Each structure stands twice: as C-alpha cells, then as structure tokens.
C-alpha cells in the first residue's frame, strides 16, 4: 500500500500532513488507513453489476481531468462539504439538453463566453450549472480556464461573498496546479512546489488551500519513506539523524492507478510459470538469431518482460513470437495502438512464413488494445473516460499478451491492461526507444525498466533499409545529417515562417506527393508539433479542408468527407485513430473508422478533431505511407522528431521552418523528466 488518503480525510491542524512532531511511523500508519478508506469508498461508489463484469479503471483522456478517479462520476467521490459551504444539488441530474440550457443561462448572466459552455458541460456533466452555482471556482477544472478567469466568474456568481480566502478557491487552485503537473506527465509533485505555486497564484493561505483540496478527496498526500541506501548511506555517521520522508501531493486518479499498476505487475511476475516445456522452447529457438531467441525465451518464461527496438524490428519480433507460441498451443494476442495499426500487423502476420509444426492451438489474435479490452457503454462514467469490460474479475482468455507500442501507455491504461491479464499470463511490453512519452501522466515502460525487476531485451537494430529509416535512426542518436534519397524518399522543404510552412504542407499533400510519388491523398498524414499556433494542427486543418473538402461544418463543425482523429478516447475508437465523416443529423455524427461505422452523440463527437493534420502524440500509434512533418521553431525536441519521422513508411517531407533550431533540438533536447512512483512501487 502507498500513502494515499481517502476522500474526506482531514490532515492535522499543524500543517498539510499533520504536526511536525508526528513520527514517520505515525505518518505511515495514518496514510495506510486513509488508503484503505479510499479503496473502500471506490468499491462502495462503484459496485460490480450483478450480471456482468466489474468496472475496471477507465482509459485516460488526452487531457487528464482534474483528479477525477478512473471511471468515477465526479459528484460520487466528493465528501459532504463543510457547513459554511453551499451544498451541491442532489437527486438525478438534468438531461443533456436541459443542462446545456441552464449552463447557457448562467454564462449569459455572468458575462462568460458562450463558447466555453460545451467544454464545461463535457467536463462537469449535465448538472454543471448547479455545481458552478454551489462552487464557482469549479470552473477552473475546465481545460483552458485560468485562475483569474475563475475569480472573475466567482465574483459574478457570488458578488461580495467571493473572498480570496474562500477555502473553495484555495482547493481549486491546488487542484489546478496538480492538474497542470499531470498534463506535464507527473503523477507526484513535492508539497513545497505546490505551496510555492499557490503563493504565486495569490492563495491567502497556501497550507489551508492544500488542506481544502485534501478535504475534497481528489488530491492525496503521498509520503515517500527514504530507501535503505538513503537511510544507511556510507557517509552517514552513527549519530546522523535519518532522512525525513518526502512529502508529496498527487491527484487521486493517477495515484490509485499507479498503485493498481504496480500491484498487477507484481502479481503477474509472481504467478507466472513457463508457458512451454524446455524442449519445446529449445526447438522454437533453434532457427532464431540470438536477440530474437532471447526475446522469445523471456516472453515464454517470465510473467512480464520488456522488448526494445525500432518499429520494424519490434513488429516483426512481436508477430514472430505470437506465431511461434501459438503453433504450440499458447493462446497469444498482439495488441496494437489503433485498429489501423492492428490491420497492418495482421497483414504482416498473414505474410509471415510458416512457424513450424502446428500445435493444437489456432493462430494468434491481432487487435487494437482498445478492442482487446472490450470498451463498454457506461452512462455513470465520468465525462471524458472510457470504461472497459475486461479487468481483474473478467480477465483475458489468453496466456500471452504482446503490446506493440507500450511506450504510449500512460499509468492508467497500464493498470487496466495489467489487471486484465489473468494469473499465470505473460505480458510482453514492446517499446521504441527515444520517442515521445505517453500523452497521459506517468511513464510505465521506462519505470518498469528502471525498476530492474523484469528482463529487458534489446533487439539488434536491422541496418536501415531506406533513407527514411536512416534519417530516423540518425535523429534517434542525436544527429541530423543530410541523407541520400535518390527516389525522393526524404525531401526537406524550407519555409521562411509558419505561414509559408502551412502553404508548403498543403501543396505537398494536395499536389506534389500524389503527382510525383503516386501516393494518394488518403495515405498522406501531416504531423505537427502542437494543436495551437500559426503552424499547428488547427491552422493546417483549416487550410487543408479548404482545399480538400470545403464546407460549412454542417454537423457540429464537420462535413461529410472530412478526415477526423480521436483526440480523447471514445468507446468506439482509441486515441489517435483516424476516420472519415460520412454524414450527420439529429441522430448524431456518422463516422467510418477502420473498425467499422459508428454514430457518435454530440458529446462523443466533441472528442474528435479534423485529422488531415494531427499532433505527433496522436500520430505515434500508426505508420503511414507518406508523412509531412511541419516543424516551426518552437516546441521541438529529439523525441518529437523521432516520433514524427518514424511514422513514415515510404516517403517523408520535412517542412523546415525552424532553421538551425531543429538541429540544435535534435542534438540537445530530450524528453523532459517526469516525477513518478511506479518504479519504486514495483520494487516494494
């Protein structure tokens, strides 16, 4: 157990975590007690259906919400407010239409921009207006809202009762800081950093603000006891005082997910036995190169293993392990990031040579991880989350699960995956080195490798077979050379500024690449650094839509024929999946995804964006025949370039508007560090 509190657990008056005189043992005991209370609260609020599987943690949205525990309706996890605080409304929530009307009326009365209503309703649910009247600072949970805007709204709602020292304001500011840290990938933040941040935001009493956030139950204290080496280091004298525990804060959603992931991974490691006898393993290894042989041995012999290599090597090895193991009766599956990527893997599987004498099992399953986890419709789930049918009480019917792009797993999806693996199953996590970290908080693959508790096999890199692969591998090593591309496999297109970069990208997609290389428009993917900015996906998509599919946006901003991308996970499709709009109307938005045609409600359609141009984080799951990477002079890093360049199969155009900044970023700018706990938790 980690030191994670339950909703409503109050710290002692001496500070955010109690009196300074409180001993480490007392702190640990108190933290363990509140963790048990938190888990009991979660079970109480979300019992398993009597006739179906329990509800496991939900998938993380692209933008992590403000600490809402996985799959948990926001109101259900909140403790009763103190007497001096307006009580939130009880009873059934209004309908979506009624909720939007009430929210529009509230925003009109307070002078709040009407365009904020959709985002607010998506984050706070149909009862958003009533919740905001009870606590106007709750508006700060909506992505893009700044503290000064929430203060302005609170003054409009409460009038003279909107005080700077209102505990609701302090708690909202603390939650806002930790939500920002989660968006940067952190699952834990030092208490001192939060107190400093609250001071900069004008919190009247930073420690009281932290206590208010803890009272709400969405922020939890995470006290890390010093490790053995810290406590008994060589330089410590006999009279040296033991180091104090580190006092940190985190959002309950990610803290509990990190705990669940660690426990599930430990369980898999402890319950695993060999999937095949030694003679069978020796026979399967006989025809393999040494690195592939080691990968197969780790996959069949240990509960959890990590496989590192380039995208092509990982795909070939994952397919090979699945084929070989299933030929001997092992129930195996390969999980891809998207349905489109799964189709590519299935094609590789079909083209693979026979794997040897057949056994009594069928071929391996190839599917997106999203499909493998079986998303289910759950009206009670928190806005922006996906609930899966597979979990601890309804695990996979599999012996071996190979995840093709585990580097993209945030800590919550890692927990869902690991809990869905039954006792005795083996989990192989494949990861390309040097790519962008997950879109959500955490870094499970890196943490698992850093824990040194599981075997890690590095595949010998196959020599680059083409100029695109040669450039990608050079960038991975920190170099940006000119590559010889006689067939125009790699083209560098200079641009003087972001506006020219957008113009060049549109020209490449709509004319140059289809005409010169005979790659159709639908096989060309534009990848940008970010969504916003003069060369971001919004600007690129506006220009591409004007050329490729002009229209008024008749269906909630989309027209039939528009390419779309899933910007936050849907029950119908995972993050980064692309599709095409086929129509729309009062019934919803009709979209054709690789997995089939779906009808999306307005709330679900709000999680789509135009998809001719997507961010590198959205693109990471699927490779395309041609990629146009648009690189301005901001937001660049080596992992971003590796991710963007590595998505191209046949052709890569680099629209270079960064000048020397690109080479400098490739040489010097790695991925920012993330503060996480998983490595330490797995080692306990």
């Amino acid at each position: 157990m980690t030191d994670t509190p339950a909703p409503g657990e109050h710290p002692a008056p001496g500070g955010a975590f109690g009196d300074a005189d409180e001993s480490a043992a007392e702190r640990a005991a108190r933290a363990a007690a509140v963790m048990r209370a938190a888990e009991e609260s979660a079970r109480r609020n979300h019992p398993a259906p009597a006739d179906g599987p329990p509800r496991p943690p939900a998938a993380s949205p692209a933008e992590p919400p403000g600490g809402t525990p996985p799959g948990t309706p926001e109101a259900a996890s909140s403790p009763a407010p103190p007497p001096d605080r307006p009580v939130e409304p009880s009873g059934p929530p209004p309908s979506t239409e009624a909720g939007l009307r009430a929210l529009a009326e509230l925003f009109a009365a307070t002078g709040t921009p009407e365009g904020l209503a959709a985002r607010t309703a998506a984050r706070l649910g149909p009862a958003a207006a009533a919740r905001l009247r009870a606590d106007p600072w709750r508006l700060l949970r909506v992505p893009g809202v700044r503290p000064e805007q929430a203060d302005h709204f609170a003054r409009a709602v409460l009038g003279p009762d909107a005080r700077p020292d209102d505990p609701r304001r302090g708690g909202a500011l603390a939650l806002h800081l930790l939500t920002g840290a989660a968006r940067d990938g952190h699952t834990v933040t030092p208490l001192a950093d939060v107190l400093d941040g609250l001071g900069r935001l004008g919190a009247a009493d930073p420690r009281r603000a932290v206590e208010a956030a803890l009272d709400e139950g969405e922020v939890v204290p995470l006290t890390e006891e010093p490790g053995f080496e810290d406590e008994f280091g060589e330089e410590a004298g006999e009279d040296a005082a033991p180091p104090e525990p580190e006092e940190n804060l985190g959002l309950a959603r990610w803290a509990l997910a990190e705990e669940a992931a660690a426990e599930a991974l430990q369980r898999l490691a402890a319950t695993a036995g060999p999937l095949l006898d030694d003679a069978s393993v020796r026979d399967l290894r006989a025809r393999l190169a040494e690195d592939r042989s080691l990968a197969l041995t780790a996959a069949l012999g240990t509960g959890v293993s990590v496989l590192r290599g380039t995208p092509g090597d990982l795909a070939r090895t994952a397919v090979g392990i699945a084929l070989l193991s299933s030929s001997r009766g092992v129930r195996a599956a390969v999980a891809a990031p998207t349905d489109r990527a799964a189709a590519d893997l299935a094609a590789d599987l079909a083209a693979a040579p026979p794997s040897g004498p057949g056994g009594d099992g069928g071929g391996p399953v190839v599917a997106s991880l999203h499909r493998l986890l079986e998303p289910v419709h759950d009206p009670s789930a928190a806005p922006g989350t996906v609930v899966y049918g597979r979990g601890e009480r309804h695990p996979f019917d599999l012996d071996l699960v190979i995840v093709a792009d585990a580097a993209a797993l945030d800590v919550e999806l890692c927990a869902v995956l690991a809990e869905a693996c039954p006792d005795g199953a083996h989990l192989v996590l494949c990861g390309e080195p040097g790519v962008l970290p997950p879109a959500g908080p955490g870094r499970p693959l890196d943490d698992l490798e850093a824990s040194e508790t599981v075997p890690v096999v590095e595949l010998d890199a196959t020599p680059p077979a083409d100029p695109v692969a040669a450039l990608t591998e050079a960038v991975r090593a920190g170099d940006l050379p000119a590559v010889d591309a006689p067939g125009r496999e790699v083209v560098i297109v200079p641009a003087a500024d972001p506006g020219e970069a957008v113009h060049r990208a549109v020209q490449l997609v709509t004319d140059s690449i289809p005409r010169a290389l005979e790659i159709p428009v639908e096989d060309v993917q534009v990848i940008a650094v970010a969504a916003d900015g003069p060369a971001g996906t919004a600007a690129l998509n506006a220009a591409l839509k004007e050329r490729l599919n002009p229209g008024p946006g008749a269906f909630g901003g989309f027209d039939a024929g528009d390419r779309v991308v899933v910007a936050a996970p849907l029950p119908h499709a995972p993050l980064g999946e692309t599709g095409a709009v086929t129509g729309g109307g009062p019934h919803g938005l009709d979209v054709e995804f690789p997995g089939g045609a779906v009808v999306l409600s307005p709330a679900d359609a709000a999680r789509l964006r135009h998809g001719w141009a997507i961010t590198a984080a959205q693109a990471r799951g699927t490779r395309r025949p041609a990629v146009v990477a648009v690189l301005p002079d901001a937001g660049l890093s080596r992992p971003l370039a590796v991710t963007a360049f590595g998505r191209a199969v046949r052709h890569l155009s680099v629209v270079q508007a960064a000048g020397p900044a690109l080479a400098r970023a490739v040489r010097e700018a790695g991925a920012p560090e993330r503060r996480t706990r998983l490595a330490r938790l797995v080692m306990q």
Side-chain angles (χ1 to χ4, degrees):
M1 291 293 177
T2 54
D3 307 311
T4 312
E9 191 73 22
H10 291 251
F17 300 113
D19 290 327
D21 294 335
E22 184 182 32
S23 70
E26 291 169 331
R27 276 191 294 267
R30 178 167 54 83
V34 297
M35 179 64 185
R36 288 192 294 270
E39 292 174 337
E40 178 58 32
S41 174
R43 284 192 293 269
R44 217 170 34 243
N45 288 328
H46 308 288
D51 57 350
R55 186 159 57 241
S60 53
E63 291 181 306
T68 306
T72 305
E74 192 173 323
S77 64
S78 298
D84 62 344
R85 187 179 300 181
V87 178
E88 286 201 18
S90 58
S95 67
T96 300
E97 294 77 11
L100 281 172
R101 284 197 302 271
L103 191 59
E105 292 171 2
L106 175 61
F107 280 3
T110 56
T112 305
E114 182 182 353
L116 192 61
R119 273 187 289 155
T120 303
R123 183 51 50 92
L124 300 183
R131 290 180 174 179
L132 289 173
R133 291 186 188 278
D135 180 358
W137 283 284
R138 195 179 285 266
L139 186 69
L140 200 52
R141 300 170 185 238
V142 178
V145 174
R146 301 188 302 275
E148 59 270 22
Q149 294 171 319
D151 284 338
H152 178 84
F153 178 74
R155 288 192 294 270
V157 172
L158 300 177
D161 291 334
R163 304 185 313 274
D165 61 347
D166 191 307
R168 292 172 294 179
R169 178 178 186 266
L173 289 174
L175 184 65
H176 173 72
L177 286 172
L178 290 167
T179 301
R183 290 198 178 103
D184 290 336
H186 306 299
T187 61
V188 61
T189 301
L191 170 63
D193 290 358
V194 177
L195 294 175
D196 289 346
L198 287 167
R200 289 192 298 272
L201 290 176
D205 185 340
R207 285 193 172 270
R208 187 182 177 201
V210 168
E211 291 169 5
L214 292 171
D215 288 347
E216 287 291 329
E218 295 178 38
V219 175
V220 296
L222 303 166
T223 303
E224 298 287 349
E225 295 294 335
F228 184 89
E229 293 181 358
D230 297 330
E231 204 162 349
F232 300 99
E234 293 181 1
E235 298 180 1
E238 291 185 4
D239 299 328
E244 286 294 319
E246 298 177 8
E247 293 186 329
N248 302 307
L249 294 172
L251 296 180
R253 172 176 188 160
W254 310 109
L256 294 175
E258 213 157 21
E259 179 79 16
E263 291 182 356
L265 291 167
Q266 289 173 326
R267 172 181 58 81
L268 291 177
T271 60
L275 294 179
L276 294 175
D277 59 76
D278 291 344
S280 296
V281 174
R282 282 195 302 270
D283 184 47
L284 293 176
R285 290 178 53 174
R287 299 181 296 277
L288 300 177
E290 183 178 4
D291 59 332
R292 270 61 172 178
S293 174
L294 290 172
L296 177 67
T297 302
L300 296 176
T302 58
V304 182
S305 59
V306 172
L307 194 57
R308 292 286 196 180
T310 64
D313 289 330
L314 287 174
R316 287 187 291 271
T317 305
V319 166
I321 291 174
L323 278 170
L324 289 170
S325 58
S326 63
S327 74
R328 300 303 176 97
V330 174
R331 299 173 299 170
V334 181
T338 63
D339 290 332
R340 189 179 299 274
D344 293 340
L345 279 176
D348 292 342
L349 191 73
S355 56
D360 55 2
V365 174
V366 179
S368 68
L369 179 58
H370 194 73
R371 300 286 168 213
L372 206 62
L373 289 168
E374 299 178 6
V376 297
H377 177 66
D378 187 347
S380 69
T385 60
V386 175
V387 175
Y388 292 109
R390 292 290 180 174
E392 188 175 7
R393 299 181 196 175
H394 185 53
F396 297 135
D397 298 316
L398 295 167
D399 305 311
L400 175 63
V401 179
I402 305 170
V403 182
D405 185 18
L409 297 177
D410 66 21
V411 70
E412 192 169 71
L413 192 53
C414 179
V416 175
L417 166 66
E419 288 189 334
C421 293
D423 288 356
H426 291 207
L427 178 62
V428 180
L429 301 173
C430 304
E432 179 185 356
V435 292
L436 287 171
R443 48 169 196 174
L445 191 63
D446 290 342
D447 280 347
L448 194 59
E449 184 173 349
S451 74
E452 299 183 348
T453 60
V454 301
V456 178
V457 178
E458 293 189 17
L459 300 177
D460 296 335
T462 302
D466 55 69
V468 174
L471 177 61
T472 303
E473 290 313 301
V475 169
R476 200 190 308 276
D479 191 18
L480 188 66
V483 296
D484 184 22
R488 289 180 288 187
E489 296 88 349
V490 176
V491 175
I492 308 299
V493 182
D497 54 50
E500 185 181 353
V502 172
H503 174 74
R504 296 295 185 195
V506 172
Q507 186 179 44
L508 286 163
V509 173
T510 61
D511 177 43
S512 302
I513 293 175
R515 174 174 47 81
L517 302 176
E518 298 183 347
I519 298 176
V521 171
E522 54 268 27
D523 286 338
V524 182
Q525 181 65 66
V526 179
I527 299 178
V529 172
D532 300 324
T537 58
L540 285 160
N541 277 315
L544 287 162
K545 177 173 172 57
E546 184 65 26
R547 287 287 300 276
L548 294 172
N549 195 46
F555 310 124
F558 300 110
D559 294 298
D562 281 356
R563 186 192 294 185
V564 292
V565 65
V566 178
L570 289 165
H572 322 78
L575 174 70
E577 192 77 80
T578 56
V581 176
T582 58
H587 64 285
L589 186 70
D590 303 317
V591 182
E592 184 73 34
F593 285 118
V598 302
V599 178
L600 301 180
S601 68
D604 284 342
R607 302 189 210 177
L608 300 179
R609 301 292 182 270
H610 282 106
W612 292 287
I614 62 180
T615 64
Q618 294 165 345
R620 65 179 304 161
T622 308
R623 304 185 74 196
R624 291 281 193 152
V627 164
V628 177
V630 181
L631 304 180
D633 60 357
L636 300 175
S637 68
R638 186 190 312 143
L640 184 137
V642 170
T643 303
F645 296 176
R647 298 319 97 197
V649 176
R650 289 177 51 195
H651 172 79
L652 170 67
S653 284
V654 180
V655 181
Q656 224 285 48
L662 177 58
R664 185 166 58 251
V666 167
R667 186 173 60 250
E668 301 172 1
E673 290 294 323
R674 293 188 169 194
R675 296 185 301 268
T676 61
R677 300 182 302 139
L678 185 61
R680 187 163 185 167
L681 292 173
V682 170
M683 289 188 289
Q684 291 177 354

